[in-house]
Amino acid sequence: MAINVNTVYQTVLSILNKEQRGYMTPDEFNKVATQVQLEIFESYFNDLNQQLRVPQTNVEYADRQKNVDECLAIFKQFGNTFITPAGRVLTVTVTNGGTGHSNGTNVATSGGDGLGLTVNTTTSGGVIQSVTIANGASGYSATNTVMITGGTTDAVLTINSVNPDLYFSVPNDLYKLGTVIYNNAVELQKVNRNEYLYLNASLLTKPTTDFPVYIYERATQGTTGNNTGSPHLYIYPSSIASANDIKVSYIRKPSDIVWGFSTGNLGQYLYSASVSTQFELIESEQTNVILRILAYAGIIIKDPQVVQVAAQAVQSEQINSKS
């Protein structure tokens, strides 16, 4: 059972208002609570790394390594990947706007090395002024020209950049990548690009479907910033080219906290569970969450005493849990 966002908010307000120290608005609470949850979530990785380096007890419920792993359990996911093929068009420019055209979506093109490129067109006086890519398709090369027909005279587009290599994209909610699995049976080995060059140079170490490898990078698509920095998996051998073949285990990022509300007749905030997002941390973290929020609340209401007391309580709890 997760920590209830309303319980935490009301507790924080109760402590702050006990001595008329101040008030924390729902918006302030949502931002601080989200930050606090991320801080605690991120600390699990350091805690787990630390516990892996020290002896553990076999006493039930006292195994710290197991307890930290249970804290992460709700965030563990297993998901599919999807592919971006080689030759997918990333950017184009209008070389000749033609005549007699109109604004359109998913307008088909013809020509070039590939097949299936469609664009959205913006026109002025029947001349195509600009286009955006609707479907980048595959198989195209940079400097290819394609035509848009259907007007009085055809429009001509020049392809500026394409995706050079097929890559696999990971789920959108990925925070930390775990294991990459081929065909639900084979774990892929992670390598760097320089390592791949050495592996691929020898028939003895060259990647095969029995011993595949992957390179994990963040790449930039095009000049518009679209998907800039999205993680890419480059899988070798290149014969592995179906998204159904590759699955990943990973840790997802916690959802942002929302204390949802409606407004009452007197202008008061009324808690609404239906539009709220609960904490995803385990229940035993409730005290830690409240103390950390109070520390931030002391900054918001400009009360150093609240900050000091809350920070000392958090520090004491951390020392006790790790000593």
Side-chain angles (χ1 to χ4, degrees), residues 8-25 28-29 32 290-291 293-303 305-307 310:
V8 173
Y9 187 36
Q10 297 305 327
T11 302
V12 169
L13 290 181
S14 177
I15 294 172
L16 291 177
N17 292 334
K18 183 177 181 181
E19 298 178 5
Q20 301 298 314
R21 291 186 179 275
Y23 180 74
M24 192 176 198
T25 67
E28 291 170 340
F29 172 80
V32 169
I290 291 172
L291 289 173
I293 292 176
L294 283 171
Y296 280 107
I299 297 173
I300 292 172
I301 66 175
K302 299 180 180 179
D303 191 327
Q305 186 175 356
V306 173
V307 177

Side-chain angles (χ1 to χ4, degrees), residues 119-145:
V119 295
N120 305 319
T121 60
T122 301
T123 62
S124 176
V127 178
I128 296 178
Q129 301 294 320
S130 62
V131 298
T132 57
I133 297 169
N135 181 0
S138 63
Y140 291 91
S141 302
T143 71
N144 275 177
T145 57

Side-chain angles (χ1 to χ4, degrees), residues 62-100:
D63 187 328
R64 290 178 176 176
Q65 180 181 327
K66 179 180 177 182
N67 291 341
V68 175
D69 189 65
E70 287 178 352
C71 292
L72 286 168
I74 188 174
F75 304 107
K76 293 180 179 180
Q77 303 289 315
F78 185 71
N80 298 319
T81 59
F82 56 95
I83 64 169
T84 297
R88 182 170 186 170
V89 177
L90 302 178
T91 59
V92 298
T93 55
V94 179
T95 306
N96 183 337
T99 58

